[in-house]
Amino acid sequence: THHALRGGSFSNSLEEWAEGLLLLEWVQSKHIMSKSQILSYNVENGFTFVLNNAEYIGALSDFTGEIGRLAVAQASKRNLEAVQEIHQADLVVSNFITLLNVTNQFGKKLEAVNTNLRKVEDIVFELSMLCRGSRAGKQMSIALDMPHSHTSQQVDQEEC
């Protein structure tokens, strides 16, 4: 496909396709695919299109929003480790786009990534405080030789 003819709906579709691949790979292996890995996947599966840089950056940006939703789901299960993994992935994407954004070509995408990063940072902080508070409550009930509350027993079964 000639890049000059590529725009609008087709380019947006390629960006969505790449976002889907990024999310699938993340869910399956906690790995963020490079642009060349997406190309290899496409070739192996008979697809002939190649992502341009803007499409790949757009996919990465949207990917951080998707894994942010995964962070919320994991936080509801009190899975601090999973939320921290997502935070690390957001940091990697933010740093990568920052390095590429010398001419501010990807300013809006970087802004979206950093907004998603801050949201996940807030989740990590709040979940850390919740987990720390739950452990402190559990330790206090043990020190006072009191039976655990229902909440403390729930925390025992959760990640934090």
Side-chain angles (χ1 to χ4, degrees):
T1 306
H2 190 272
H3 290 290
L5 300 177
R6 190 148 105 185
S9 297
F10 184 66
S11 184
N12 293 340
S13 297
L14 293 180
E15 188 176 306
E16 292 296 322
W17 169 262
E19 176 190 344
L21 284 177
L22 288 165
L23 184 60
L24 179 63
E25 180 70 16
W26 172 260
V27 168
Q28 291 178 344
S29 67
K30 305 296 183 268
H31 171 257
I32 302 171
M33 294 175 81
S34 68
K35 189 175 144 190
S36 64
Q37 288 170 328
I38 292 174
L39 173 62
S40 295
Y41 175 89
N42 288 344
V43 168
E44 290 168 13
N45 290 284
F47 303 116
T48 58
F49 56 85
V50 177
L51 292 177
N52 63 35
N53 287 339
E55 291 158 351
Y56 180 65
I57 297 301
L60 280 173
S61 175
D62 294 348
F63 163 75
T64 63
E66 292 301 324
I67 62 174
R69 285 181 263 295
L70 292 176
V72 170
Q74 292 300 318
S76 72
K77 299 175 187 175
R78 294 189 177 171
N79 188 345
L80 181 58
E81 184 178 326
V83 176
Q84 289 171 327
E85 284 178 339
I86 291 167
H87 177 249
Q88 290 300 310
D90 280 345
L91 283 171
V92 167
V93 172
S94 177
N95 290 335
F96 176 72
I97 296 175
T98 297
L99 290 173
L100 291 179
N101 198 40
V102 176
T103 61
N104 203 30
Q105 177 183 3
F106 305 115
K108 288 190 184 289
K109 293 297 184 179
L110 181 58
E111 189 176 311
V113 168
N114 288 333
T115 296
N116 293 331
L117 174 62
R118 282 189 298 278
K119 288 177 183 178
V120 173
E121 285 173 345
D122 289 345
I123 293 169
V124 168
F125 176 76
E126 290 176 22
L127 189 55
S128 296
M129 293 295 102
L130 178 65
C131 292
R132 190 171 296 150
S134 296
R135 280 193 295 259
K138 179 180 172 189
Q139 289 169 348
M140 183 171 286
S141 68
I142 291 170
L144 297 174
D145 199 24
M146 297 173 64
H148 297 304
S149 70
H150 175 69
T151 304
S152 294
Q153 289 172 355
Q154 252 185 327
V155 171
D156 280 346
Q157 297 168 357
E158 301 296 340
E159 295 293 321
C160 64

